[in-house]
Amino acid sequence: GENVEQHPSTLSVQEGDSAVIKCTYSDSASNYFPWYKQELGKGPQLIIDIRSNVGEKKDQRIAVTLNKTAKHFSLHITETQPEDSAVYFCAATYGGSARQLTFGSGTQLTVLP
Amino acid sequence: EAQVTQNPRYLITVTGKKLTVTCSQNMNHEYMSWYRQDPGLGLRQIYYSMNVEVTDKGDVPEGYKVSRKEKRNFPLILESPSPNQTSLYFCASSLSGGELFFGEGSRLTVL
């Protein structure tokens, strides 16, 4: 089955700096890679996703890049703000949908004022 | 408001006492799923359901049961809870396997 590794497990940045979270996956058949943000006491929420036919996707201050050859994908957050503080999960699956997603272990991002 | 509702949000129980965590969604989603979240392990899928009366095992199904008799409800049943089932549980739903919408979680402690 799929295995997703996520690094780092914790990340602290100064407000206004950039943050990068990296994930690697094992199954070359995986073709859908979403990122979820979990705020304290809440369930995860989708913030951005990318499919294997695309190398990069941006949405305002967040972007995701995918390297299919190396089987890794990354989340980039620019101009970080205190409200970006949360746990971020990467995930991967085949079939192009959210079914049977395999999640990474999560990254606790703290944005220091 | 579109939402996934779980109950109870917090529960402390003892080993062997059967319990049910309910999950209900109001978005007419076909797909529903249960995950458990443990420190350092991320979210692991317990069971999922593609539609009414269709359920299947995820990665960590041992010790759990589910049923899907109605489209909106997907209860998680622990017939004989054990301490290693102490965890934070999330129910999620999606339309045809698209974006997952999660509930707010149910924190279960088994003594």
Side-chain angles (χ1 to χ4, degrees):
Chain A
E2 176 66 276
N3 181 48
V4 177
E5 294 193 359
Q6 182 172 346
H7 299 280
S9 56
T10 60
L11 178 61
S12 293
V13 298
Q14 290 294 138
E15 184 176 354
D17 287 350
S18 295
V20 180
I21 302 170
K22 298 181 179 181
C23 290
T24 60
Y25 61 98
S26 61
D27 189 347
S28 56
S30 287
N31 58 7
Y32 175 61
F33 308 92
W35 286 87
Y36 284 80
K37 175 184 180 182
Q38 183 181 27
E39 296 177 348
L40 194 62
K42 297 196 171 181
Q45 259 191 312
L46 180 71
I47 55 171
I48 196 167
D49 57 12
I50 192 167
R51 298 185 187 273
S52 59
N53 58 346
V54 175
E56 183 176 2
K57 184 176 179 180
K58 287 184 180 179
D59 183 2
Q60 299 183 344
R61 295 186 298 107
I62 60 173
V64 57
T65 58
L66 172 65
N67 183 326
K68 285 174 58 180
T69 303
K71 289 191 281 187
H72 67 71
F73 55 114
S74 301
L75 178 71
H76 305 254
I77 306 174
T78 58
E79 299 172 17
T80 53
Q81 300 167 6
E83 52 264 39
D84 294 328
S85 294
V87 178
Y88 291 81
F89 291 99
C90 62
T93 187
Y94 60 90
S97 79
R99 290 170 187 158
Q100 295 176 278
L101 276 174
T102 299
F103 284 87
S105 54
T107 297
Q108 172 68 62
L109 172 65
T110 303
V111 179
L112 304 168
Chain B
E1 180 191 353
Q3 58 187 3
V4 178
T5 304
Q6 297 178 224
N7 280 296
R9 295 287 314 279
Y10 302 92
L11 179 63
I12 300 174
T13 190
V14 295
T15 298
K17 187 175 181 182
K18 180 180 178 179
L19 68 92
T20 299
V21 186
T22 64
C23 174
S24 181
Q25 50 93 5
N26 63 0
M27 295 169 279
N28 202 35
H29 285 169
E30 294 99 359
Y31 179 83
M32 297 186 74
S33 183
W34 276 102
Y35 295 85
R36 60 177 289 174
Q37 181 178 0
D38 301 290
L41 296 177
L43 293 154
R44 293 179 294 167
Q45 190 178 53
I46 303 170
Y47 269 94
Y48 65 96
S49 170
M50 304 285 244
N51 214 323
V52 176
E53 301 292 359
V54 181
T55 63
D56 211 342
K57 295 177 180 179
D59 296 320
V60 289
E62 295 78 20
Y64 304 95
K65 285 175 58 178
V66 293
S67 69
R68 188 91 183 273
K69 295 178 180 159
E70 306 164 283
K71 198 171 187 179
R72 64 182 294 126
N73 296 323
F74 190 45
L76 180 70
I77 303 156
L78 285 73
E79 293 269 4
S80 183
S82 62
N84 64 11
Q85 293 178 297
T86 292
S87 187
L88 178 59
Y89 291 87
F90 286 99
C91 180
S93 72
S94 76
L95 186 66
S96 300
E99 175 184 354
L100 279 173
F101 291 85
F102 284 84
E104 297 214 311
S106 296
R107 185 167 293 282
L108 171 66
T109 301
V110 184
L111 301 174

